[in-house]
């Protein structure tokens, strides 16, 4: 693929540095409608790019479940076939998605300021 094609396939310019990775997630609407599974290809503090099981329209509100972070709310900023870009409502720490998920005993050692990123707290 040439450079011009590669650039045109990307979404809008990103403000935050992004980290390439391969992470599975589930997508839902805020009211709980299932939108399927997706493979996160890159992740930043302000959003992500993913390959989805099926097309997801741009402009809709969405919640994605990210390992090590939990449910994160955002909007589909762009959509091209089964690829989407999501802009998060609030910034996250993308490095948390790379850390191993521990047992309940390890969670007790997590500082209070990081507990807001754990499962069960939706960042809106």
């Amino acid at each position: 693929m040439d450079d011009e094609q590669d650039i045109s396939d990307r979404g809008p310019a990103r403000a935050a540095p992004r980290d390439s990775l391969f992470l599975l997630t589930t997508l839902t609407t805020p009211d709980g409608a299932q939108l399927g599974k997706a493979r996160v290809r890159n992740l930043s503090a302000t959003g992500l790019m993913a390959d989805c099981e099926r097309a997801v329209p741009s402009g809709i509100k969405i919640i994605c479940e990210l390992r090590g972070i939990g449910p994160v709310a955002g909007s589909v900023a762009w959509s091209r076939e089964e690829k989407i870009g999501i802009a998060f409502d609030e910034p996250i720490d993308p490095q948390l998605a790379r850390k191993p998920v521990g047992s309940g005993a390890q969670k007790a050692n997590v500082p209070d300021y990081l507990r807001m990123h754990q499962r069960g707290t939706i960042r809106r």
Side-chain angles (χ1 to χ4, degrees):
M1 185 182 309
D2 63 26
D3 288 339
E4 285 184 35
Q5 180 65 34
D6 185 42
I7 291 170
S8 68
D9 285 346
R10 296 179 189 163
R14 297 145 190 104
R18 54 198 179 279
D19 194 12
S20 294
L21 73 160
F22 183 79
L23 180 68
L24 294 176
T25 185
T26 55
L27 306 174
T28 60
T29 63
D31 63 359
Q34 296 292 317
L35 298 173
K37 297 195 181 297
R39 290 183 305 269
V40 177
R41 295 297 184 171
N42 62 55
L43 179 66
S44 75
T46 59
L48 63 79
M49 190 278 288
D51 298 324
C52 301
E53 288 181 318
R54 60 179 185 249
V56 177
S58 63
I60 67 167
K61 297 297 275 178
I62 199 165
I63 295 174
C64 56
E65 181 74 30
L66 297 176
R67 180 192 69 184
I69 297 171
V72 180
S75 298
V76 178
W78 59 268
S79 176
R80 292 190 185 96
E81 297 172 6
E82 284 83 34
K83 291 188 186 299
I84 62 170
I86 297 175
F88 299 145
D89 291 346
E90 291 185 26
I92 63 160
D93 179 354
Q95 292 304 312
L96 292 174
R98 289 195 172 273
K99 292 184 179 180
V101 178
S103 68
Q106 290 174 328
K107 289 181 182 182
N109 296 329
V110 176
D112 287 340
Y113 67 91
L114 290 178
R115 289 187 186 166
M116 64 184 222
H117 292 291
Q118 291 181 346
R119 185 176 184 88
T121 303
I122 295 179
R123 310 263 311 152
R124 293 183 194 221

